[in-house]
Amino acid sequence: MAEQGSVGLVGLGAMGWPMAARLHGAGFIVHGYDVRPGLAQRMADEVGGRAAATLAALGQACDVVITMLPNSAIVEQVLFGDGGLAPAMRRGGLLIEMSSGVPAQTVALGARLAERGLRIIDAPVSGGVKRAVTGELAIMAGGAGSDVDQAEPILRAMGKSILRTGALGSGQAMKALNNLVSAAGFLVGVEAMLIGSKFGLDPAVMVDVLNASSGRNNSTEAKFKQFVLSGSYGSGFALDLMVKDLGIALEVARQTQTAAPLSALCRELWASAAAVLGPGQDHTAITRFSEMLAATRLQPAERAGTGEPG
Ligand code: NAD
């Protein structure tokens, strides 16, 4: 694969790591940085590329830098905190903010970066760890057309569909709204399985029927058997991150003065689950919260309706 130039990547977590691997595979020299000690070096050893010792070193080495971080507050800290990235980058540099962040905060960051002659686009993703590994993410890109043009070959190494959504921040607004739809679909699917299970339906059969019928969605197809009925709760997307995304969607609703009662209830349920289940949970573990509310467990058909506990 021909060498494509250097790209910085800050945040080598569940998503950043496989994205680094895709970039390396496409011929980019990835300069990785993560606040977790030793992680960037492990990336360099196991994936390829180079470990940046500090954010400033990464900024000096790269004119294009991707951020794949938990939230906008951390992105701001990475860019403008002590020893931050922005002062170290050369004028004309491009930030590709791929975190699921807050649109208004990204626009504000864009203004501060512009004062330093730096540019930014937002390019959050959908598809989870699985599609990050295969390079089939859906990427929603917001920002100046010429900046998105420059980023496109880099985005193509990680994503199958690159969808242009408009001005800076529009990708992140779209991402939050996508996750709102996804979160609601997940929750109602689990409720349907709990009702069906009590009625005597086998949840696995229910998933097969939904997937062959009009009730199917991404959760019925890619989550219920894989991460819920298996009991693994291991999708790689954290419950706390989903709650954050729903908060962003509701913030966009407030900003646009859009009444969104169902969305508000959905966010409340996900936030309550996070409070009850505690930190460190996968988002699919919200099933356990729904089970508590329904005072029943998802169970195979042969045990359903027999009065057995559990
Ligand atoms: P993660 O928690 O697995 O990874 C985040 C990484 O950022 C961690 O390695 C962490 O150490 C690092 N980090 C935190 N603070 C830092 C700092 N100050 N400096 C440098 N590194 C720092 O999260 P993730 O699942 O990879 O998600 C990243 C973003 O992508 C989030 O905004 C999330 O909402 C979004 N997202 C995740 C998924 C998914 O399936 N996991 C899917 C789509 C979008």
Side-chain angles (χ1 to χ4, degrees):
M1 182 61 70
E3 199 174 281
Q4 301 269 25
S6 288
V7 176
L9 206 168
V10 183
L12 301 169
M15 296 297 284
W17 183 283
M19 286 160 60
R22 293 298 310 181
L23 289 165
H24 178 75
F28 293 97
I29 303 169
V30 182
H31 296 245
Y33 177 84
D34 196 285
V35 76
R36 281 187 277 169
L39 193 56
Q41 190 53 53
R42 196 146 69 76
M43 181 213 77
D45 295 342
E46 294 177 21
V47 172
R50 299 180 191 161
T54 62
L55 284 169
L58 186 144
Q60 281 154 16
C62 304
D63 290 326
V64 180
V65 179
I66 294 169
T67 41
M68 194 52 173
L69 294 160
N71 57 51
S72 291
I74 293 177
V75 173
E76 181 178 8
Q77 171 70 25
V78 159
L79 291 177
F80 292 107
D82 277 351
L85 190 61
M89 286 181 73
R90 280 181 289 274
R91 291 183 78 80
L94 177 68
L95 269 305
I96 307 178
E97 161 49 341
M98 300 191 74
S99 326
S100 306
V102 181
Q105 290 186 31
T106 302
V107 170
L109 288 176
R112 288 173 74 186
L113 290 165
E115 288 168 11
R116 296 178 174 275
L118 297 170
R119 297 163 296 137
I120 182 171
I121 65 167
D122 59 319
V125 308
S126 180
V129 173
K130 196 169 161 213
R131 280 164 62 187
V133 169
T134 58
E136 294 177 300
L137 291 167
I139 302 181
M140 17 214 133
S146 54
D147 296 342
V148 179
D149 288 346
Q150 187 190 339
E152 182 125 3
I154 295 166
L155 300 178
R156 288 248 163 254
M158 299 175 281
K160 196 166 152 193
S161 0
I162 319 292
L163 300 143
R164 296 186 186 218
T165 47
L168 181 63
S170 63
Q172 290 179 331
M174 183 62 239
K175 167 63 187 171
L177 295 172
N178 174 76
N179 279 23
L180 169 64
V181 174
S182 170
F186 184 96
L187 213 47
V188 79
V190 167
E191 283 189 9
M193 286 195 290
L194 285 164
I195 299 165
S197 168
K198 267 188 143 172
F199 180 82
L201 289 164
D202 184 334
V205 173
M206 287 188 72
V207 175
D208 290 338
V209 174
L210 289 167
N211 284 337
S213 310
S214 53
R216 80 180 166 283
N217 63 29
N218 181 60
S219 295
T220 67
E221 287 181 339
K223 295 182 185 176
F224 286 165
K225 280 196 178 174
Q226 296 83 341
F227 306 120
V228 173
L229 299 182
S230 71
S232 78
Y233 303 125
S235 77
F237 181 49
L239 178 53
D240 289 342
L241 291 179
M242 182 67 101
V243 174
K244 171 209 59 170
D245 290 343
L246 294 171
I248 297 169
L250 266 285
E251 204 170 310
V252 175
R254 263 194 303 275
Q255 271 168 14
T256 53
Q257 297 183 316
T258 313
L262 185 57
S263 308
L265 175 60
C266 179
R267 196 212 78 91
E268 285 304 307
L269 285 165
W270 282 87
S272 302
V276 167
L277 298 174
Q281 301 287 336
D282 191 79
H283 79 288
T284 54
I286 194 178
T287 306
R288 296 201 276 112
F289 178 73
S290 295
E291 287 176 335
M292 286 178 210
L293 293 181
T296 190
R297 303 275 308 274
L298 280 179
Q299 51 190 299
E302 59 270 21
R303 290 177 58 210
T306 61
E308 283 182 44

